[in-house]
Amino acid sequence: MCGLVGFLDPAITANEGRAQALLRAMNDTLHHRGPDNSGLWLDRDVGIALGHRRLSIVDLSPEGHQPMVSASGRYVLAFNGEVYNHRELRREVEKIPPSPPFSKGGMDWRGHSDTEVMLAAFERWGVAQAVTRFTGMFAFVLWDRDARTLHLVRDRLGEKPLYYAWLDGGLAFASELKALTRHPKWRGEIDRDALALYLRHNYVPGPYSIYRGVYKLPPASVLSVPWGGGGNPPRPPFFKGGSAELSAYWSVQAVAERGLADPFRGGEAEAVEELDRLLRVSVKRQMVADVPLGAFLSGGIDSSTVVALMQAQSDRPVRTFSIGFHEAGYNEAQHAKAVAAQLGTDHTELYVSADEAMAVIPRLPELYDEPFADSSQIPTFLVSQLARQHVTVSLSGDGGDELFGGYHRYFWGRALWCRLKWLPRPARSLLARALVSASPAAWDRVYSVLAPALLARLRHGRVGDKLHKLANIVAVGSPEEMYLRLVSHWWQPEAVVLGGREVSTVLTDRGRWAAVSSLEERMMYLDTVSYLPDDILVKVDRAAMGVSLETRVPLLDHALLEFAWRLPLRHKIRGGEGKWVLKQVL
């Protein structure tokens, strides 16, 4: 896990001292992402500069130093993340018959880092083929000296961040926005359209950022920028056929449609067995590290499954970490403690006071760089801070809800819509007013009296919040509108953002939706391509990297996601509950 920065701008690199100072200043803003080492690389004649901050995880020796140059000298790589299958790829590379520049006996490996294997893969297969062979989380910048082309690449699900900006005839890029603000051509103009999107979603959805002209590279994408030198500026992004071309090497949409067209045909036992196998492979790969490793444990299905599979494949107690709160409605620590005891992990928990939680708030702008309003960013930071006192890498259970139908809206969304559509809109408006007539706390008090008489599957936490959210959707005109309301914080942001308008996103552009027939799967798909990369994974990455902790997400192995989309919906949602197949594995 690391951080990267850089720019393409001959006007700046013409003065090598100035360029080195700028690159160092940008790089130093990402010290938290890589406190172990810093590297700079500059080609003054071409006008390219790359910087890297290193958090040493695999191959702690100087042989893992970045930016790294390939064996032939053709490629220069600055890389953030982990390629989990690098050992298998290394063996594949070694089996290929030698060819120039390896005609004198094949590879002469310097170390055992995944970075070096990636460079060898580019040499042997080319960039386009090599990227499809990588299993992992990554964002990297690759300079091809022969083709004079810069490639910006991001992993399939968007676990690792990469921003870029077109700045007056040049291109700048970095793992975090704060590094770009050091560039002398930085303007920092607020994008009011992005602000409107933020008010709807509580995050700024990609490819936008809060700043005009600054973009997030979409997941599973390659932005290729041919650069002839001489100061000729590239054309804008998303322009096919121009000098900068954005392409996708993988697609959740294609995976979903392919999986539904070719469903898994085995029975329940076979589905559980295959999921168990894929999970074990993913977890085992992600436990490889040359530094101490542990896991976040909430006591829920996802994190408990990951930890159980870690412990099953470990010869010592796994280090697990949980945050507890004294407010009963928000506290999961007792569940985590019970799971840890059952599995025999080396468990650490910390109960947090209101003052300790409040003390995190002044750090949030520094951590996230742009507006971000997921309230669980605070406990995520706190559990990361706790884990970093003991380990350098922590596995997480994120992704299970989107893959296996865990969010409540998946399993009561269709039933709710079937009931709502028969009610006249005036009656729905009356129902909405009734639901908000009492506060969430008041509804919770009523529910606490009724809960003992309810079936276990009908008992849920924070009922008052859910009823208020229900009030927001009862008057909708379609199931798609219902979903958009469910994932919206503010329904009409254009009304309160002066000069702002809601630009198209994957949630509003039906041309980017997977062709799925069921409402449940449509919601799961849309969450996977929006809420997951732009909220959940942003929250985990920035909170953890803010304390120099690497996080890994085994449930987001792309082979697992491809299998999940082949599973019939009955293996995920059953009896008014989600994650059926994952629960069987657990």
Side-chain angles (χ1 to χ4, degrees):
M1 189 69 64
C2 307
L4 63 89
V5 301
F7 50 86
L8 263 174
D9 196 325
I12 292 177
T13 58
N15 183 325
E16 189 167 348
R18 178 190 176 205
Q20 289 273 5
L22 170 58
L23 188 59
R24 186 173 292 107
M26 293 175 66
N27 211 34
D28 287 348
T29 65
L30 301 184
H31 180 271
H32 55 286
R33 295 190 75 93
D36 296 332
N37 188 251
S38 174
L40 306 176
W41 183 90
L42 179 71
D43 187 329
R44 174 182 172 182
D45 296 332
V46 175
I48 184 169
L50 301 177
H52 186 264
R53 296 287 328 188
R54 186 182 183 198
L55 177 63
S56 301
I57 303 294
V58 174
D59 191 351
L60 309 185
S61 75
E63 302 303 334
H65 178 80
Q66 296 186 51
M68 185 181 291
V69 181
S70 66
S72 72
R74 174 174 178 174
Y75 296 105
V76 186
L77 177 64
F79 160 56
N80 166 30
E82 304 287 346
V83 172
Y84 301 123
N85 64 332
H86 68 95
R87 291 176 175 174
E88 297 98 305
L89 291 174
R90 180 169 173 148
R91 288 192 290 269
E92 283 190 55
V93 167
E94 290 171 341
K95 290 178 182 177
I96 298 174
S99 61
F102 308 103
S103 54
K104 296 182 180 179
M107 287 297 301
D108 182 16
W109 299 103
R110 291 168 285 182
H112 64 272
S113 71
D114 50 356
T115 310
E116 188 178 4
V117 173
M118 292 170 71
L119 285 165
F122 298 136
E123 298 270 20
R124 296 302 176 94
W125 295 305
V127 177
Q129 277 198 46
V131 170
T132 64
R133 294 171 180 261
F134 298 158
T135 295
M137 54 175 188
F138 49 83
F140 64 82
V141 178
L142 181 74
W143 173 244
D144 183 340
R145 284 166 148 174
D146 290 0
R148 286 203 167 203
T149 298
L150 184 73
H151 302 285
L152 278 65
V153 186
R154 196 171 176 206
D155 64 57
R156 291 172 179 83
L157 276 304
E159 292 185 58
K160 295 295 101 190
L162 187 54
Y163 293 86
Y164 65 97
W166 305 87
L167 300 175
D168 295 337
L171 174 69
F173 41 86
S175 296
E176 296 183 14
L177 283 168
K178 58 175 62 68
L180 296 178
T181 65
R182 296 298 182 93
H183 195 282
K185 296 180 181 179
W186 173 260
R187 292 186 298 273
E189 299 173 4
I190 296 297
D191 186 332
R192 304 191 72 78
D193 297 344
L195 181 58
L197 291 174
Y198 165 70
L199 287 186
R200 177 175 291 281
H201 298 291
N202 282 344
Y203 58 84
V204 179
Y208 311 104
S209 81
I210 196 61
Y211 296 110
R212 188 182 304 277
V214 183
Y215 300 92
K216 303 177 178 89
L217 185 69
S221 292
V222 180
L223 180 65
S224 298
V225 185
W227 191 265
N232 296 321
R235 299 178 72 171
F238 316 125
F239 183 83
K240 294 290 183 182
S243 61
E245 184 170 337
L246 185 72
S247 60
Y249 63 87
W250 187 85
S251 162
V252 178
Q253 179 179 353
V255 166
E257 293 173 349
R258 195 164 55 239
L260 294 173
D262 180 27
F264 180 78
R265 302 190 186 280
E268 292 178 353
E270 290 85 358
V272 173
E273 182 179 352
E274 179 62 8
L275 178 57
D276 182 272
R277 184 189 69 80
L278 290 169
L279 279 167
R280 286 176 186 272
V281 170
S282 179
V283 168
K284 185 175 182 178
R285 276 178 172 167
Q286 298 195 25
M287 289 175 68
V288 175
D290 295 332
V291 292
L293 176 143
F296 299 147
L297 180 60
S298 69
I301 300 298
D302 303 337
S303 66
S304 297
T305 302
V306 168
V307 171
L309 290 167
M310 290 176 71
Q311 191 60 72
Q313 300 179 91
S314 176
D315 57 4
R316 67 188 69 180
V318 171
R319 296 299 307 263
T320 54
F321 306 94
S322 299
I323 289 291
F325 295 95
H326 299 290
E327 294 76 16
Y330 294 85
N331 186 39
E332 299 177 327
Q334 71 273 25
H335 304 302
K337 187 174 183 179
V339 171
Q342 174 69 25
L343 296 175
T345 70
D346 182 358
H347 190 59
T348 302
E349 66 179 17
L350 174 68
Y351 272 77
V352 179
S353 69
D355 288 343
E356 289 170 319
M358 291 282 285
V360 177
I361 293 175
R363 295 195 60 175
L364 297 180
E366 176 190 354
L367 288 170
Y368 290 93
D369 288 339
E370 63 179 344
F372 186 73
D374 186 322
S375 59
S376 63
Q377 64 190 296
I378 296 174
T380 303
F381 174 81
L382 290 168
V383 74
S384 299
Q385 190 176 56
L386 173 66
R388 188 61 178 94
Q389 297 172 22
H390 306 274
V391 300
T392 310
V393 178
S394 184
L395 273 61
S396 163
D398 292 297
D401 290 308
E402 291 81 2
L403 268 63
F404 299 105
Y407 293 129
H408 287 101
R409 56 179 171 267
Y410 299 155
F411 43 87
W412 54 251
R414 177 174 294 280
L416 176 61
W417 171 246
C418 289
R419 287 167 174 78
L420 286 178
K421 68 180 181 180
W422 298 109
L423 278 176
R425 285 213 170 183
R428 293 195 220 168
S429 299
L430 184 64
L431 174 60
R433 288 196 294 271
L435 290 172
V436 298
S437 63
S439 69
W443 282 117
D444 285 342
R445 287 193 293 272
V446 172
Y447 175 76
S448 66
V449 175
L450 299 176
L454 298 176
L455 295 174
R457 66 182 179 86
L458 298 178
R459 298 173 190 165
H460 301 290
R462 300 171 61 188
V463 168
D465 287 338
K466 292 180 174 65
L467 289 176
H468 272 239
K469 180 168 282 193
L470 174 63
N472 294 338
I473 64 171
V474 294
V476 298
S478 70
E480 290 76 21
E481 185 184 353
M482 179 186 71
Y483 169 77
L484 186 58
R485 286 285 184 97
L486 284 170
V487 297
S488 296
H489 177 75
W490 200 288
W491 306 341
Q492 297 178 308
E494 291 181 354
V496 293
V497 179
L498 297 177
R501 63 184 181 88
E502 276 199 88
V503 290
S504 174
T505 68
V506 68
L507 295 187
T508 56
D509 181 359
R510 296 197 178 196
R512 297 161 65 186
W513 291 10
V516 299
S517 57
S518 75
L519 175 61
E520 297 91 335
E521 287 167 322
R522 192 173 305 126
M523 290 190 286
M524 291 165 64
Y525 166 76
L526 290 172
D527 280 343
T528 302
V529 296
S530 60
Y531 181 60
L532 179 64
D534 292 329
D535 185 304
I536 299 297
L537 296 178
V538 169
K539 173 184 64 182
V540 174
D541 175 82
R542 305 305 191 279
M545 291 311 300
V547 293
S548 305
L549 176 75
E550 172 172 298
T551 48
R552 300 177 178 177
V553 190
L555 292 175
L556 293 186
D557 184 292
H558 70 276
L560 264 171
L561 185 140
E562 290 168 357
F563 175 70
W565 273 104
R566 293 190 64 218
L567 283 177
L569 190 59
R570 67 179 181 276
H571 289 329
K572 303 171 189 175
I573 299 173
R574 184 178 299 192
E577 295 184 5
K579 303 183 188 175
W580 180 86
V581 67
L582 195 60
K583 290 175 182 177
Q584 309 316 304
V585 171
L586 179 58

